[in-house]
Amino acid sequence: MADTKVFLLDGGSLVLDGFHIWWNKGPGGEVRFPVYSVLVDHPKGKFLIDTGYDFDHVQKVLPFEKPQQTGQQTIPGALKLLGLEPRDIDVVFNSHFHFDHVGGNKFFPDAKKICHKDELPQAARCQPFEVLGYSDLAFSTEVAEARGMSDQLTMGQTGANTKYELIEGDVELAPGVTLVYTPGHTVGHYSLLVEFDNRRPLLLTLDAAYTRKNYDNDINAGFHIDPVAGVNSMRRLKQIEKEKNAEVLFSHDPESFKDYKTGVNFYG
Ligand SMILES: [Zn+2]
């Protein structure tokens, strides 16, 4: 679409061991990596894909990930840089419900919210090895209550303002904005393809591939529910990259991120 613009909202950074980022491959050792959300400013509305992490939550529950986040790297701060407020966002779509993708959902009580049909029940009854991933439950009263963590609901969340529209398979969110179903990292994980009139498409892997090295070598992240599905999802993304001649952006790649457009700079 002629007027589509894609902004990456810098959400600060976290630390993981290299063996977590590149599962069974490494090398080990601390890696500090970026976290960001994606704003698609489209003629049909403003679509926010993921909402970063909540600094206080990470300090409290996962302090070993050593969060670094300035005021401008919170979701309201990053939107303000663009002259926007949370109420300007029409749709919040979550690629999945890991804590570093849902932390700002609570700022959008009025936006329409969308996710894969299996992500909510999985977050509510996750596997033991997924507990840290699905640890910030402020995005849903239903999930927080199911997990006995209603104390996280401190922003006036209700069943009505944390209700999600459920989707499955590939879905066109708006003309030229396609949610690409890429399970493996989580049961209902999505990547994002954005097509423009005047530039190459953007293919955002989101957590189907944290980094270029994951993607090029079919290496899952340590956080996953189905590693075989994860490898197949990376292969599918590479097929789409080829078919569409897309520019690929990774979700947590410290090297690539340096060259990404952030803040007021945009793709479009
Ligand atoms: Zn994740």
Side-chain angles (χ1 to χ4, degrees):
M1 295 292 285
D3 299 328
T4 303
K5 295 185 178 110
V6 171
F7 295 87
L8 305 186
L9 310 186
D10 182 358
S13 61
L14 295 170
V15 164
L16 277 177
D17 186 84
F19 268 102
H20 251 302
I21 297 179
W22 303 291
W23 184 54
N24 286 352
K25 180 76 178 173
E30 282 197 353
V31 179
R32 178 165 290 282
F33 59 87
V35 173
Y36 66 86
S37 307
V38 184
L39 174 65
V40 181
D41 190 355
H42 187 278
K44 298 265 186 214
K46 289 184 171 57
F47 301 87
L48 180 62
I49 289 81
D50 293 343
T51 61
Y53 69 81
D54 181 279
F55 182 84
D56 291 340
H57 171 80
V58 180
Q59 275 294 23
K60 197 171 149 201
V61 180
L62 309 98
F64 48 85
E65 295 209 14
K66 303 180 180 175
Q68 289 184 357
Q69 187 182 63
T70 65
Q72 285 194 338
Q73 290 171 324
T74 63
I75 278 286
L79 287 174
K80 202 173 169 193
L81 273 179
L82 307 177
L84 297 172
E85 297 192 34
R87 65 166 168 266
D88 296 321
I89 301 300
D90 301 296
V91 175
V92 171
F93 174 77
N94 292 104
S95 64
H96 63 304
F97 286 135
H98 282 168
F99 72 89
D100 55 327
H101 296 257
V102 300
N105 274 39
K106 53 184 169 281
F107 296 114
F108 303 95
D110 303 323
K112 178 176 179 178
K113 296 167 197 72
I114 306 176
C115 67
H116 187 273
K117 68 177 178 54
D118 295 336
E119 264 310 286
L120 279 173
Q122 190 68 24
R125 285 173 293 279
C126 62
Q127 295 290 341
F129 55 82
E130 294 182 298
V131 166
L132 275 183
Y134 294 121
S135 60
D136 183 349
L137 309 180
F139 64 91
S140 163
T141 57
E142 181 193 331
V143 174
E145 281 160 18
R147 294 270 301 277
M149 290 156 82
S150 306
D151 57 313
Q152 292 187 342
L153 305 168
T154 59
M155 298 270 289
Q157 290 96 327
T158 64
N161 71 25
T162 61
K163 195 172 166 46
Y164 289 77
E165 189 178 302
L166 307 179
I167 58 169
E168 60 185 308
D170 293 356
V171 170
E172 194 173 64
L173 200 53
V177 183
T178 307
L179 305 171
V180 181
Y181 178 51
T182 48
H185 180 65
T186 67
V187 281
H189 186 275
Y190 275 101
S191 303
L192 174 70
L193 176 71
V194 184
E195 295 172 275
F196 306 85
D197 279 352
N198 301 314
R199 87 179 296 289
R200 293 168 72 192
L202 280 184
L203 180 60
L204 295 109
T205 61
L206 301 168
D207 279 2
Y210 284 6
T211 72
R212 161 69 64 189
K213 176 173 152 181
N214 293 87
Y215 185 72
D216 285 348
N217 300 286
D218 293 336
I219 302 169
N220 284 291
F223 289 98
H224 58 249
I225 189 160
D226 183 342
V228 176
V231 168
N232 288 335
S233 287
M234 283 186 268
R235 291 178 178 163
R236 177 153 184 247
L237 289 173
K238 281 180 269 202
Q239 224 162 15
I240 295 171
E241 175 191 5
K242 225 164 137 183
E243 279 165 25
K244 301 276 186 184
N245 183 31
E247 178 177 350
V248 183
L249 303 182
F250 305 100
S251 59
H252 298 303
D253 191 335
E255 292 308 311
S256 307
F257 190 70
K258 291 177 197 153
D259 299 323
Y260 291 177
K261 295 178 183 182
T262 57
V264 295
N265 301 309
F266 60 87
Y267 298 84

